[in-house]
């Protein structure tokens, strides 16, 4: 993975098409390393989440090229590599999965999903409210907290509409993005036994994902025959 970090660091400092074209070989080598890592992660997750076995590397990885058509930021390339293993659908469906973000100085391990429709967010909040003991047993367990120090993102400033403001667990339903994540340093992801090290994170991520996905999939089945698009 050191090769991946090295390439991304150099790309960050030289984010233009001329430099990229001149260093296409380095990009191809870094991508091959990253895809090998991705396959090993898929294989590892499949040992306890069998639906992952149906996914390919292509299902779980992203192009490095940015869509700049409607963006003020015209840099042509992303300055990170992301791996989203989302059994059984792959990266294009908006349910919870396992995400690894590789960016020098900003790498992280994540569970969950982002960018859900407001009606789905409301359903998740209701599920947490109605099943708070089950949810707390997951996110407050020593094993889970030992892997993920951050829970939720993009928080409302106040209590969500329709829920009691004085509920003692209100912070669990204030996020707009239901994720759990752990920032990690570059050396951690560059260790030789990184896939084995990540297994405990992914096992805990599955507990969180299963709780949220039950609500998401129940909502989808009850309202539409079309799956929700993913926006990672």
């Amino acid at each position: 993975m050191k090769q991946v970090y090295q390439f991304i660091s150099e790309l960050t400092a030289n984010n233009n098409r001329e430099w990229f074209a001149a260093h296409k070989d380095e990009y191809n080598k870094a991508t091959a390393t990253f895809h090998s890592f991705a396959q090993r992660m898929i294989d590892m997750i499949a040992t306890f989440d069998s639906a992952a076995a149906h996914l390919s590397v292509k299902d779980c990885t992203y192009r490095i090229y940015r869509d700049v058509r409607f963006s003020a930021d015209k840099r042509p390339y992303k300055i990170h590599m992301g791996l989203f293993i989302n059994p059984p659908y792959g990266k294009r469906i908006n349910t919870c999965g396992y995400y690894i973000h590789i960016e020098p100085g900003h790498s992280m391990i994540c569970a969950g999903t982002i960018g859900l429709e407001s009606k789905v967010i409301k359903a998740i909040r209701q599920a947490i409210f109605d099943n708070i003991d089950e949810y707390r047993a997951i996110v407050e367990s020593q094993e889970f907290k030992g892997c993920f120090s951050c829970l939720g993102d993009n928080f409302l400033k106040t209590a969500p509409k329709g829920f009691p403001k004085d509920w003692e667990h209100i912070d669990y339903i204030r996020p707009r993005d239901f994720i759990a994540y752990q920032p990690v340093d570059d050396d951690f992801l560059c260790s030789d036994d990184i896939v084995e090290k990540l297994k405990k994170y992914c096992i805990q991520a599955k507990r969180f994902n299963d709780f949220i996905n039950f609500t998401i999939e129940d909502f989808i089945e009850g309202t539409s025959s079309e799956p929700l698009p993913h926006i990672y």
Side-chain angles (χ1 to χ4, degrees):
M1 295 293 282
K2 291 181 180 179
Q3 187 177 40
V4 176
Y5 275 100
Q6 180 65 31
F7 177 79
I8 296 174
S9 294
E10 293 177 2
L11 177 61
T12 301
N14 302 277
N15 200 329
N16 61 78
R17 290 180 176 84
E18 294 75 18
W19 183 89
F20 190 86
H23 295 79
K24 194 66 177 286
D25 285 346
E26 291 96 318
Y27 165 69
N28 289 336
K29 290 176 182 177
T31 300
T33 298
F34 181 63
H35 285 183
S36 175
F37 165 73
Q39 185 62 61
R40 289 186 292 133
M41 286 295 298
I42 292 169
D43 293 343
M44 178 269 286
I45 290 171
T47 63
F48 58 86
D49 190 343
S50 59
H54 303 289
L55 297 174
S56 68
V57 169
K58 186 177 179 180
D59 292 328
C60 305
T61 54
Y62 302 85
R63 287 162 51 87
I64 200 164
Y65 308 97
R66 296 182 65 246
D67 184 351
V68 300
R69 291 173 299 173
F70 308 107
S71 175
D73 182 355
K74 297 302 181 182
R75 291 178 298 175
Y77 307 106
K78 298 172 186 174
I79 56 172
H80 68 272
M81 289 189 181
L83 171 65
F84 185 51
I85 301 172
N86 184 22
Y89 308 108
K91 63 179 183 275
R92 298 188 182 280
I93 302 301
N94 204 355
T95 51
C96 295
Y98 315 84
Y99 180 70
I100 309 294
H101 184 88
I102 296 179
E103 180 181 356
H106 302 282
S107 296
M108 67 180 71
I109 306 160
C110 307
T113 191
I114 64 171
L116 291 167
E117 292 183 356
S118 59
K119 291 181 180 180
V120 183
I121 294 172
K122 183 177 180 180
I124 294 171
R125 288 172 175 155
Q126 190 66 56
I128 294 173
F129 185 82
D130 292 341
N131 302 279
I132 185 59
D133 289 342
E134 179 184 351
Y135 190 70
R136 289 182 64 202
I138 297 169
V139 302
E140 293 181 8
S141 70
Q142 189 173 28
E143 295 84 0
F144 187 88
K145 293 173 72 174
C147 291
F148 298 105
S149 61
C150 306
L151 184 66
D153 197 25
N154 194 13
F155 287 83
L156 295 174
K157 293 182 179 179
T158 59
K161 185 178 180 180
F163 295 91
K165 295 181 179 179
D166 59 350
W167 187 45
E168 61 180 316
H169 305 298
I170 197 68
D171 285 348
Y172 285 145
I173 60 173
R174 287 198 303 112
R176 295 184 183 92
D177 293 326
F178 285 90
I179 61 173
Y181 61 99
Q182 179 62 44
V184 293
D185 61 38
D186 301 349
D187 289 341
F188 176 80
L189 287 176
C190 288
S191 58
D192 292 338
D193 58 345
I194 184 55
V195 174
E196 186 58 34
K197 284 183 177 179
L198 287 174
K199 187 171 184 177
K200 69 174 184 178
Y201 293 86
C202 294
I203 289 172
Q204 294 305 314
K206 186 177 188 300
R207 300 173 65 204
F208 179 80
N209 291 341
D210 286 350
F211 182 98
I212 305 296
N213 278 341
F214 181 85
T215 300
I216 295 174
E217 292 170 0
D218 187 58
F219 180 88
I220 293 172
E221 290 176 4
T223 59
S224 174
S225 61
E226 296 294 327
L228 296 173
H230 208 283
I231 63 166
Y232 266 109

